[in-house]
Amino acid sequence: MPTLSGAVYAGRAQPSGFAGMIPAAGLTSVNAVYALAARRHMETYGTTSEQLGAIAVAQRAWAAMNPLAQLREPITIADHQASRWIAEPLHLLDCCLVSNGGIAVVVTSADRAAQLRQPPVHVLGFAQSHVGHPNARDGRFGLVSGAAQAGPAALKMAGLGISDVDVAELYDCYTYTVLLTLEDYGFCAKGEGGPFAASGALGPGGSLAVNTGGGQLSSYYLWGMTPLSEAIIQARGHGGPRQAPRNDVVLVSGNGGLLAHHATLVLSPHPHS
């Protein structure tokens, strides 16, 4: 008999002891925990809801050029602010879509890939980080992610720096996650993700092409395969109207858990030199 996904998780035993204080305080969903993280960033650096909204607006502008995107109607900051609260300070338009689908990526040797029908995309670097965030005094939860470790490590393997990146396809379960990842990769200084997003840098015609298919906020939710699939499309030059003007280096991020895990890929249409 079919079972709703929510019912599966609802049957889990609740934590006891000190760990039980977290759900007792109301942090009973992923939305609530990410809202707490976003609020801490706001209180520490002055990040605003409107700045988070700029990320949603930019990604919707990219999605408008993606025929496969679920949401293609342009939005404004006012639309973002008017959308209902999910877990304050996160509005509905701060949160990713809820959808699933199927996709596959074929990994093979460069020689074999060169003989196939589609243009090859080369993996220049990769790295993971599993920072975790213990509920302890002086923790960095909400202020730093594993991108701060995985990003430099993957770029070092590729022999590149952050200034070499043309396109960034970032895991975007929330607008806040994009903002934090941009900072931790070094596209802007720590605490400056909000002004960077508000400047218009992330949308079509901006200085950094970010989530060019619309991301999980506007296109579709395939977990980490959403940014990876769009990265491959961009690296191959198959983006059509949304194709980034430069695609020599494409950075891909994956975020897992409650900011506990991070993965980075550096892709290119060109083999490692």
Side-chain angles (χ1 to χ4, degrees):
M1 181 175 179
T3 302
L4 296 175
S5 59
V8 174
Y9 291 101
R12 295 187 300 175
Q14 294 299 315
S16 59
F18 181 77
M21 295 180 66
I22 296 175
L27 297 179
T28 57
S29 70
V30 173
N31 290 328
V33 177
Y34 270 91
L36 180 66
R39 177 60 72 190
R40 188 179 189 196
H41 197 282
M42 288 175 161
E43 294 297 324
T44 303
Y45 299 114
T47 307
T48 68
S49 176
E50 290 83 359
Q51 290 169 343
L52 294 178
I55 295 172
V57 170
Q59 293 194 197
R60 184 64 66 86
W62 285 113
M65 298 182 284
N66 181 1
L68 295 180
Q70 287 182 256
L71 301 177
R72 302 180 64 192
E73 186 71 24
I75 58 173
T76 64
I77 297 295
D79 294 328
H80 171 271
Q81 293 292 288
S83 64
R84 65 184 175 90
W85 292 116
I86 297 300
E88 195 173 352
L90 299 177
H91 288 271
L92 176 66
L93 292 179
D94 285 308
C95 305
C96 67
L97 295 165
V98 179
S99 57
N100 280 298
I103 194 168
V105 174
V106 177
V107 181
T108 185
S109 67
D111 290 342
R112 175 72 176 121
Q115 301 172 19
L116 301 179
R117 182 169 57 184
Q118 299 293 343
V121 175
H122 300 271
V123 179
L124 304 187
F126 54 88
Q128 295 183 16
S129 175
H130 305 277
V131 292
H133 286 287
N135 299 305
R137 184 177 179 180
D138 298 326
R140 300 285 288 165
F141 177 71
L143 304 180
V144 66
S145 72
Q149 295 176 316
L155 287 166
K156 182 178 180 180
M157 180 185 291
L160 300 168
I162 197 65
S163 62
D164 296 310
V165 175
D166 300 313
V167 182
E169 305 294 349
L170 307 181
Y171 193 90
D172 58 328
C173 45
Y174 303 91
T175 52
Y176 155 77
T177 315
V178 175
L179 182 145
L180 188 66
T181 305
L182 287 167
E183 292 181 349
D184 288 342
Y185 276 149
F187 288 112
C188 60
K190 177 54 67 177
E192 295 183 4
F196 184 53
S199 73
L202 312 182
S207 60
L208 179 65
V210 173
N211 292 344
T212 51
Q216 299 180 134
L217 295 173
S218 286
S219 61
Y220 36 78
Y221 187 81
L222 291 176
W223 296 81
M225 297 301 282
T226 301
L228 179 57
S229 61
E230 180 65 18
I232 293 170
I233 289 169
Q234 289 291 323
R236 286 175 170 167
H238 290 175
R242 70 182 190 276
Q243 179 63 44
R246 300 181 305 277
N247 67 338
D248 291 326
V249 179
V250 183
L251 188 72
V252 190
S253 81
N255 170 70
L258 301 172
L259 298 174
H261 314 287
H262 200 93
T264 302
L265 283 174
V266 182
L267 306 180
S268 176
H270 314 296
H272 208 302
S273 58

